[in-house]
Amino acid sequence: MLGLAFLIVTLALLPARDGLLLARMLSVPVEAGSALQLEDAGSHRLFIWKKLISLIPHFWAFGVGPDHLIYGGLVLPDGSIVDKAHNIFLEIAVTMGLFALASYLAFLCFILRPPRSEAGFAPFVMVLVYLLQGMFNIDVVVNMPLFWIVMGVALKEKRIEGYSCST
């Protein structure tokens, strides 16, 4: 039933916005081919990642500065300036350096311990999904603190077994 509902909604939306959904669906093979050749697939994400990886040796210790990727001097083939890495780990490495990335990864290792109880499963999944979407998406400055604040409040209020949240 759910699959049928999705199919009906998709068919109903195909002509909307001048066929944008259909155009996106038809672009998948082209995007896949570009991704395999490490070109500009995914809104130039692979191009950006390739260029940012080449910046790490120049700014390895302390980066170019938090939220200052624009000063990395990367320009897309269409002339627009790169200001986000579309990958939270790569963004941290380039903007704040490898020391900050190592600290962040150590923090995540602490948070991503396997849950010891059923109550600990929700925070584990929250962080895991956040990290998976962060591999390919922009970590919006407004949303990132909200996620961690809600996570901290949830841990504090529920006193989830296995997590130390004492004040």
Side-chain angles (χ1 to χ4, degrees):
M1 284 293 248
L2 187 60
L4 181 62
F6 281 136
L7 180 64
I8 291 170
V9 170
T10 302
L11 290 174
L13 292 176
L14 281 178
R17 295 185 67 192
D18 296 326
L20 179 64
L21 183 61
L22 181 61
R24 296 292 288 236
M25 291 168 64
L26 294 176
S27 73
V28 170
V30 175
E31 290 285 331
S34 294
L36 290 174
Q37 296 175 10
L38 296 177
E39 289 177 5
D40 61 349
S43 301
H44 300 288
R45 278 174 174 78
L46 293 176
F47 176 82
I48 293 169
W49 294 349
K50 193 166 48 170
K51 296 296 183 181
L52 288 179
I53 288 171
S54 70
L55 286 179
I56 292 175
H58 303 287
F59 302 105
W60 69 273
F62 301 108
V64 295
D67 207 27
H68 281 77
L69 193 57
I70 196 167
Y71 298 115
L74 294 178
V75 179
L76 293 178
D78 65 2
S80 59
I81 298 172
V82 175
D83 64 344
K84 292 291 180 192
H86 299 276
N87 181 315
I88 55 177
F89 304 107
L90 192 53
E91 176 120 6
I92 290 172
V94 174
T95 60
M96 293 183 274
L98 295 180
F99 296 127
L101 179 62
S103 299
Y104 186 63
L105 292 174
F107 170 71
L108 292 176
C109 287
F110 172 75
I111 293 292
L112 279 178
R113 292 179 295 165
R116 295 184 188 153
S117 69
E118 204 172 292
F121 184 70
F124 177 78
V125 172
M126 281 176 64
V127 173
L128 192 62
V129 169
Y130 171 78
L131 295 175
L132 288 175
Q133 70 82 30
M135 290 293 294
F136 307 99
N137 206 350
I138 295 173
D139 204 10
V140 179
V141 176
V142 174
N143 293 341
M144 181 180 57
L146 292 176
F147 169 80
W148 290 110
I149 289 168
V150 168
M151 176 75 169
V153 169
L155 289 174
K156 180 68 176 172
E157 293 301 316
K158 298 290 184 186
R159 301 197 184 270
I160 296 171
E161 179 186 328
Y163 289 92
S164 175
C165 296
S166 59
T167 54

